[in-house]
Amino acid sequence: MTSDDEIQPYLVYRSSGRQMECALWAVESGPKCLALFLTAEAADRYLDNAGLRPVWKSLRPAKPQLLTILEHCLQVGITHAVLEPDNDQARRLFDLQQVLDAARADDRGASG
């Protein structure tokens, strides 16, 4: 993955004290996936359609924070993310380990 391939997604989340919980989307008869959105409008539409307001909000984390969130997802057994999910489908499925590996390789290339 090069910087040209990277997206800067929005997440849907809620906070409880110092904990942050991100919205998950379930692949039919498959794993739960982290929900990602290309725009604030798409994230807000998801919030509205799912009736998650006002407790849930959208956030566009900086790359270091996003990578930390993805690492935490892997640690708790969430191995995939989906782009632009709705009630029925998502645009794309991502393997979080592959995303993190590519980001690390890209960071090593940029620093070397």
Side-chain angles (χ1 to χ4, degrees):
M1 179 180 349
T2 66
S3 59
D4 291 340
D5 297 327
E6 289 182 11
I7 62 171
Q8 295 177 313
Y10 289 81
L11 304 170
V12 169
Y13 77 99
R14 69 178 172 180
S15 58
S16 175
R18 296 188 54 171
Q19 297 291 325
M20 176 178 156
E21 179 183 358
C22 295
L24 302 177
W25 189 83
V27 175
E28 187 175 321
S29 69
K32 290 186 178 177
C33 303
L34 178 66
L36 302 176
F37 303 89
L38 290 175
T39 65
E41 294 79 17
D44 290 341
R45 190 169 41 254
Y46 182 85
L47 284 165
D48 292 337
N49 291 341
L52 297 174
R53 291 189 190 269
V55 176
W56 293 74
K57 299 177 172 92
S58 63
L59 165 74
R60 186 181 212 178
K63 183 178 177 179
Q65 288 76 28
L66 177 62
L67 295 177
T68 299
I69 291 167
L70 299 183
E71 288 170 353
H72 181 72
C73 285
L74 279 175
Q75 291 169 0
V76 298
I78 299 165
T79 59
H80 290 81
V82 290
L83 186 61
E84 304 283 335
D86 62 21
N87 289 337
D88 302 313
Q89 62 186 358
R91 287 179 58 181
R92 185 166 177 195
L93 180 71
F94 295 92
D95 179 298
L96 293 182
Q97 188 62 62
Q98 290 178 359
V99 170
L100 287 169
D101 290 346
R104 290 180 189 121
D106 192 42
D107 286 348
R108 283 194 300 272
S111 65

